[in-house]
Amino acid sequence: MRVLLISTNKIRVPRPALPIGMAYISAALKHAGHQVDVLDLLWESRELKAVREKLTTGTYAVVGIAVRNLDNLTFIDPVFFGPMTEKIVQCVRKYTSATVVLGGSGFSVEPLSFFEYAQPDYGIAGEGEAGIVQLLDHLESGGRLESISGLCYLDDNGKFCQNQSSQAFDLGALEPDRSVYDPRYFEEGVSAASDLTRDHQPAIETLQTKRGCKLFCSYCITARPRARATGSRTRPRSSERSSGRWRRTRPCGSSRSSTLPSTTRLSTPPRCARR
């Protein structure tokens, strides 16, 4: 199947975040034999025009919309990203017959509310690598929606349903598809100057060394009991895989790198850091 993935993140302060979630979803889809195109709206001043033009370049069976944040994370000038996501869903429906799927960490924080607001065909809450492939298998061959990891949907009675996320994805099984990263992410001056940085900073190449967290930090979307983004079961990558992948990320274009997430130190063996 031909799939279009749309990254909706517009935040560049203090530096733009690489769409690593979309990179993993793209890798999972390509590994399953699907064709993937991407549209990163960070670079578009007229988002709906860009979406419409992209939709006319080919016929897509599925359009996945990644919601990284619910808002712009500031009390000074708050912006809720729901209306833009809803307009993108409407745009896709107007110009195509594609199935619309929402996902991403922002969606996973409030899947019911965001599903009701944007009204996609489906959503995937939590890790999406397994769920998106299972959903495409369902669209091609049928089967039970209840068996699809993290799937959000309306049943025959119009009731919202959310499947449990399996949290079984092997972090070492896939390399994120870094071809989705626009080279402009790594240019000096790509970020918006802010009172925090007073500087223009390029994106930082990121490396996930684990998923899940057992802590209870109130500010974090991975914390229990709201363990929706990656779950409460900690799944670290081995130090050998982490160090090997770290070396492979360096040619991507970034002069700066960091591990992800902030709780890496809780589960990464010390010898990994030495490498």
Side-chain angles (χ1 to χ4, degrees), residues 6-266:
I6 302 176
S7 174
T8 62
N9 179 46
K10 301 290 290 183
I11 299 176
R12 298 195 186 197
V13 178
R15 65 171 76 237
L18 291 172
I20 190 171
M22 187 169 70
Y24 270 107
I25 296 299
S26 176
L29 289 170
K30 289 181 178 179
H31 183 73
H34 300 286
Q35 181 180 351
V36 179
D37 294 337
V38 299
L39 174 62
D40 193 337
L41 295 181
L42 183 73
W43 313 105
E44 306 294 340
S45 58
R46 300 178 63 184
E47 294 86 358
L48 295 181
K49 180 175 182 291
V51 172
R52 183 177 69 250
E53 291 178 347
K54 188 68 175 181
L55 292 173
T56 61
T57 63
T59 302
Y60 295 101
V62 174
V63 175
I65 303 173
V67 182
R68 184 178 186 273
N69 297 93
L70 294 178
D71 55 42
N72 61 344
L73 309 176
T74 176
F75 291 109
I76 300 174
D77 184 24
V79 177
F80 175 51
F81 294 146
M84 176 53 65
T85 305
E86 179 190 23
K87 290 178 181 177
I88 293 172
V89 172
Q90 294 173 349
C91 183
V92 175
R93 290 240 169 85
K94 181 177 180 179
Y95 293 101
T96 76
S97 59
T99 299
V100 182
V101 184
L102 288 188
S105 57
F107 174 77
S108 300
V109 171
E110 293 292 344
L112 170 59
S113 299
F114 215 89
F115 191 99
E116 292 178 340
Y117 189 95
Q119 298 185 344
D121 295 302
Y122 300 102
I124 296 181
E127 296 178 337
E129 291 89 352
I132 190 64
V133 173
Q134 293 167 0
L135 176 59
L136 266 61
D137 288 344
H138 167 81
L139 295 176
E140 287 184 317
S141 307
R144 299 177 64 252
L145 289 175
E146 296 83 356
S147 64
I148 300 176
S149 176
L151 188 70
C152 301
Y153 60 98
L154 300 179
D155 65 13
D156 293 338
N157 297 318
K159 179 183 177 181
F160 176 82
C161 301
Q162 179 180 344
N163 297 343
Q164 182 71 28
S165 179
S166 67
Q167 299 180 20
F169 174 69
D170 180 4
L171 190 56
L174 281 178
E175 287 270 5
D177 178 13
R178 289 183 168 80
S179 69
V180 308
Y181 297 162
D182 191 293
R184 288 174 287 183
Y185 273 108
F186 306 108
E187 295 177 359
E188 298 287 341
V190 66
S191 68
S194 72
D195 290 337
L196 294 175
T197 64
R198 301 187 183 277
D199 192 9
H200 296 276
Q201 305 178 68
I204 293 179
E205 173 61 50
T206 51
L207 171 68
Q208 281 194 330
T209 58
K210 79 174 185 67
R211 289 190 181 180
C213 185
K214 298 180 180 180
L215 299 182
F216 295 85
C217 307
S218 61
Y219 63 84
C220 183
I221 63 171
T222 64
R224 292 190 300 173
R226 291 157 55 91
R228 295 170 178 152
T230 59
S232 58
R233 185 170 64 88
T234 302
R235 289 155 292 145
R237 188 200 304 272
S238 71
S239 59
E240 289 78 12
R241 284 179 171 179
S242 294
S243 59
R245 188 160 296 181
W246 183 271
R247 289 191 293 270
R248 291 192 294 273
T249 63
R250 299 314 296 266
C252 188
S254 176
S255 60
R256 300 172 175 85
S257 303
S258 70
T259 52
L260 180 75
S262 57
T263 50
T264 300
R265 65 186 182 278
L266 294 177

